[in-house]
Amino acid sequence: MAGLMSGFGGFTHAVVRAIPESLAKEALRTGSLEVDLLKAQKEHDEYVSVLKHRLGLEVVELPADETLPDCVFVEDAAVVCGDTALITRPGAESRRKETEAMKDTLTELGLNIVEMTDESATLDGGDVLFTGREFFVGLSKRTNQRGAEILADTFKDYAVSTVPVQGCLHLKSFCSMAGPDLIAIGSSEAAQKALKIMQQMSDHKYDKLTIPDDLAANCVYMKLPGKGDVLLHCTPEEFPESAKVFEKLKDHMLIPVSNQEKVKVDGALTCCSVLFSKNNNI
Amino acid sequence: MTIFSSGHLSVLCVPGVMTTEVGSETDVKKEPEKVPEVPQQTDPVQTDQPDKPADSDAQPASASAAQQEQENPSAEPESQPEASASPEPSSPPAAGSQKKEKGISRFLPPWLKRQKSLSQEKPPESPTQPKSESLKEEEEQKSEPKDQTDGGGAAAPSTEKTEEVKEVKEVKEVKEVKEVKEEESRPEEVLVEVKDKEEEKSIGSADTQPVREEKEAESEAKEGEEKEKEEEKKKEEEQVIEQETSVLSPLKLNKKMKMVVCHVTLLDGSQFSCEVEKRAKGQYLFFEVCEHLNLLEKDYFSLSFKDNAEQRCWLDPTKEIKRQIRNSQWQFAFSVKFYPPDPSQLTEDITRYLLCLQLRQDIASGRLPCSFVTHALLGSYALQAELGDFDPEEHRLDYISDFQFAPNQTKELEEKVVELHKSHRGMTPAQADAQFLENAKKLSMYGVDLHHAKDSEGVDIMLGVCANGLLIYKDRLRINRFAWPKILKISYKRSNFYIKIRPGEAEQFESTVGFKLPNHRAAKRVWKVCVEHHTFFRLMSPEQPTKAKFLTLGSKFRYSGRTQAQTRQASSLIDRPAPYFQRTSSKRISRSLDGAPMVNVSDYSHAVDSALTAGAGENGPALELNSDSKSPQVEVVEKPNAEVATSVTNESAFETDKGGAAAPERKSKLRVQGENIYVRHSNLMLEDLDKTQEDVLKHQASISELKRSFMEATPEPRPSQWDKRLTGSPATTLRLQAQGSAEVKPEVNGQPEVIEVVEETVVIEEVVKAKPKSPAPEAPVTVETQSAAEVKEERSLSSDSESEEEAEYHAQPPSTSVSVQLIKEEPEEEQEVKLIQQAPPTVVESPPITEAEPSEPAPAAEEEKAAAQPEEEACTDKASAATPDDSPNGHALEGEAPPTLRAVAEETEEEPHIVNGSVSRVETEHLPQVICCSEPPVVKTEMVTISDTFAAQKTEISTKEVPIVHTETKTITYEAAQLDGNGDGEPGVLMTAQTITSESLCTTTTTHITKTLKGGLSETRIEKRIVITGDSDIDHDQALAQAIKEAKEQHPDMSVTRVVVHKETELAEDED
């Protein structure tokens, strides 16, 4: 009988999707790096394996769709909070269809589905930071005001504040939750500015964990029975300085996860899964 | 203590009664009968309910007194019968009794005094035999019936308490079945009237009959009005008639109170009707409702009404209802005004229950949006609270169809609700309410008061006022948020609403954000709500509503009730068994008033209720006083400065030791709000609660307006002052260190402790600053001045009066006004306590040359000394941060202080500061004074310092010019060796500072309490300044000895570390 806003990070389920071969060439990217498909797939397998085996989540794996090169980044297709899932309308036209499989899956899993039908609205899940108390929605190239409004309408219990995002793809390209009330934030000016805005907008005082590298500030936090605080974060190979910062979180179960290839197509750790809890449902 | 006084009252009253009766020969025989009754009655009452705050006890007595008073003024022959008629002990206003009352009155709170004084004024003529005889007969009858009704005649009228009053009311409702009963009810009615009086000075209490009549036929209110007109001329006639019918009639004659029936929609949807005097203030009705509800934690609630535009307006408790509602119906809604952020901290279940009802309304109406799941969850708790465990037999699916859980309720939702309801088995109603609230409070829109507006570009937005600040929404999205600490000033002008934002770390200047409201009234409404929320949630105690300035402009509205901190304090004192209350079926809400409760009948523990109300929460009377004190004051500024300084340190403290490790409880200074003094807030209080309160009350009455406003004055931090302080005072250094930013205003992200609450008159300020804002639009000067002059009128005017085109409210950083949350967070640490007892017996004789304003010198002098002393300390014991903070005050003071005062020698050391101070002054309204200040008067001064430790640092200075003024000042400082042993070289951080001033005939005691944080230790320093003013025949030494002795007694655990004697004498008379 969990009430409102309890059990942040207490996920039981994860939805992931396999990497299509088209990702290497066709996936959208802000940079121009080439992706080693095999390496990327291996990375992803490890990622899924951690969720499934090491953490014991119930993982639903969707098959890849070659027509959707970015489909591995399932986070953008849905925002799940409590027992309600908002199926988004991704900002990139080429990704709109990614939501279909997601919707079907989440429906099967028994979530209440809300669809973003407004044609003027766009929202990528990567722009949605849920802190456990409220939402911050990055207004980016992929997400607009209307999309944020619909999100606010969907999750009425929570405050939804908008944060302008400039210079990178998503809000969560430089931040994420690293614990209850703990925001991991990159060091760049843009990241710090966004954090200031978030702090100003919130009635709550969040702790911050400043990570030297913006990309490394995207980590995956969970609180799992028997395991406590769990954090999936960057590897020392990729971001040595940032990894050190994470390693200071003594109370967390720290799991470095490699993300070298996916990051080339702007994929971060949170992008590759939709996490939610079914116990949380009232 | 109050109890005592009340006891006195009753006792005294009794004799008084006797005497009056004795006076009338015919009465004599009957008196004996009465006399025995009275004592018996009074005694039992007191013994039975010793817990009751004296106020409640006192009220009745005073009430009766008030009656008499009022009656007397009209004191034509007709009134005489009344006097005798009011058979009750207190009633007879015999000359002898008057004297006694005088003596007693000292112990009474000011409002009581007033009445008494009135009573004293009464012409002793009252005893007129002819009528009195008949009256007496009636009285006899009365007394008998009373016994019947009261059961054993437990309470003599004078001693009767509010409970009884209510009983009386019931009786009234029963109506005049017997004339006798009417007579009985009289005393009670009197009591009611007294309440009115307390709340409204203007209203005559005498007309009890109208009340009854109206009660009989509520609609007849208008008749009462008509009667009023006729009153005076026809008094006699009426009396005759009335006398025939009942004794009460005479009362009518004096003043007829037109009674109006107010209809109040309660949170459970039921209607409460209540008669109020037509000119009653909002709080009267509010208290009536609270009493009906048996609600003690009432500060979260308020009454609202719909204005002509169907907009919800809050009823200002301090203003007349009539003026607020204008032409609207006398129809009100009782609702939550301040949503407690953490309902679990409420003391009583009944309060939580009412909050639940409000939230259920909010949810059902859509005002508080929530998700499906939350609707279901909250609905299920509501069901559990109202229906108890789910009962499959009784509760079929349709059992909930009458309940409304959501704006658009679906079958699906209802099913979910039922499902959840089943899972709550075993939960008590109170638990269910608590669960309900635990979830509801997390909703993002919980407690957010929304107002439609447009931004500067004309985009539709919503302004949401809440506990933490101002939220800006566009559609459902939060697009900005201004926490109270970020807001420097709130103002409105015409239909625009402005907030001035504290500059961020990297910003140089304050920015002002404007919003366009639909109309002027809407702008003002938002402004008021902001002022109220800021005060309630952010301040420790309300600031004084009005500060007199040379130019006042705009609304003087201030929140005058208790703050959340205060109400929590008060409710922590609630000591009554959980009151029983009926959970009205919410099904009725949609249906209607079948549940309409009995009018004027209150249920349980009224005694406690009323007692607590009287003792703890007299917001009401306080308000009046506040409004009274609008005399222009120079000194006002001084305090503000102090507060600013404090705030600075507070902030730095915060930043340095974030995590609140070492911050001692930041309590605030005592604010003397009219009669309402929240001594409880200061754990440093000099005396036990009651005593202090009483003392303050006592003193309060005699304190001059000037002084009062000085004490309550709200700081007016000006940017320049900040600068000054930063550069000039130790606090500055701290600040800089802590923040490392060039910015003067560091609080940006930090939870700035500093909220500035500055009041109006920005116009001038801006002009002086030559800020970009054009002063022109803001200042129709003529209008402003007028308003200033008409202060009193304005007071009574409805807050909405159109003349108030604009108003401002500066969020201030009163040292006092530590945010509530912060207070909690900070653990109290061990305190190293020092008492600095400063007893400068001074004969202040203002030389004719210096003083411009005759009335001000005395207070000013005091304060100056007060200010000056800290400076001294700063010099001697560099250690304490508190003093450095104070010193700015001192300078400021000096800047403004009347020249005479500046004679004090110590100041020289601080001259640069003084300059600063005066400069900052310049920007304020006090321009005129500033000018005088910069040039110290020519005075011969002498200073002698005796110090074991730091004597060396003192400098002896005398002005170079030959004294023109024949005044001599002498300062002698005695310091204990241990002084500040800990503090050397380590600057402290001021945590809190409070100042209390009390005044008696020839002495004025100013107690300044500062808490400083030095390293990990917090230090409490109490400085008492006792100014003894008088002729040379005063024994100063004795006075000093006495002062020290008292200080030691009051604070056995503290040590006197320093005594400064400062004498000012006229040279001619005696040279010391």
Side-chain angles (χ1 to χ4, degrees), chain A residues 20-214:
Chain A
E21 290 178 5
S22 56
L23 175 130
K25 297 253 163 68
E26 299 168 38
L28 302 170
R29 66 204 73 187
T30 55
S32 55
L33 297 174
E34 213 165 284
V35 176
D36 183 326
L37 183 64
L38 285 182
K39 270 192 182 174
Q41 284 175 332
K42 190 177 171 220
E43 259 175 28
H44 190 59
D45 288 345
E46 275 179 26
Y47 178 89
V48 174
S49 167
V50 166
L51 296 180
K52 193 190 294 184
H53 300 115
R54 182 140 180 210
L55 300 178
L57 298 184
E58 189 156 323
V59 178
V60 179
E61 290 187 74
L62 302 180
D65 184 333
E66 288 302 327
T67 65
L68 301 170
D70 291 299
C71 68
V72 64
F73 303 123
V74 289
E75 178 189 50
D76 291 324
V79 177
V80 182
C81 180
D83 63 351
T84 300
L86 172 65
I87 306 301
T88 66
R89 188 167 179 278
E93 183 102 35
S94 64
R95 301 190 61 187
R96 298 264 159 83
K97 293 202 167 175
E98 290 179 24
T99 59
E100 292 173 1
M102 181 60 70
K103 177 185 157 192
D104 294 342
T105 305
L106 295 180
T107 306
E108 275 178 31
L109 288 169
L111 296 176
N112 300 320
I113 303 296
V114 177
E115 287 189 82
M116 192 174 283
T117 52
D118 189 328
E119 304 240 320
S120 68
T122 62
L123 181 81
D124 275 15
D127 276 318
V128 179
L129 177 66
F130 179 62
T131 68
R133 300 173 179 273
E134 63 191 312
F135 285 96
F136 293 105
V137 178
L139 297 181
S140 65
K141 288 174 186 163
R142 300 283 179 84
T143 300
N144 63 18
Q145 182 96 12
R146 183 70 190 128
E149 283 171 26
I150 292 172
L151 181 111
D153 274 338
T154 306
F155 304 107
K156 290 197 178 80
D157 294 347
Y158 299 95
V160 179
S161 305
T162 54
V163 183
V165 172
Q166 285 167 343
C168 53
L169 184 63
H170 285 142
L171 176 65
K172 281 197 282 191
S173 298
F174 53 75
C175 69
S176 63
M177 297 307 289
D181 298 336
L182 177 62
I183 297 178
I185 185 76
S187 306
S188 73
E189 197 176 312
Q192 291 297 316
K193 193 175 169 189
L195 177 66
K196 283 229 167 61
I197 292 172
M198 289 191 281
Q199 286 172 334
Q200 182 186 328
M201 298 283 245
S202 176
D203 293 326
H204 185 70
K205 305 274 180 271
Y206 294 99
D207 297 323
K208 67 172 177 178
L209 180 67
T210 306
I211 308 294
D213 306 285
D214 275 8

Side-chain angles (χ1 to χ4, degrees), chain A residues 149 153 157 200-201 203 282, chain B residues 371 374 475-476 478 481:
Chain A
E149 283 171 26
D153 274 338
D157 294 347
Q200 182 186 328
M201 298 283 245
D203 293 326
I282 299 172
Chain B
S371 66
T374 305
D475 298 311
R476 290 186 186 276
R478 186 184 290 184
R481 170 179 174 272

Side-chain angles (χ1 to χ4, degrees), chain B residues 401-416:
Chain B
S401 56
D402 285 340
F403 289 84
Q404 193 178 8
F405 304 110
N408 303 308
Q409 190 159 319
T410 61
K411 204 70 193 167
E412 186 190 5
L413 176 63
E414 291 178 0
E415 286 168 3
K416 187 77 178 174

Side-chain angles (χ1 to χ4, degrees), chain B residues 305-321:
Chain B
F305 60 93
K306 299 273 189 186
D307 67 8
N308 297 332
E310 282 300 294
Q311 292 295 315
R312 184 178 74 164
C313 302
W314 293 109
L315 193 64
D316 188 331
T318 66
K319 296 192 170 122
E320 289 182 20
I321 298 171

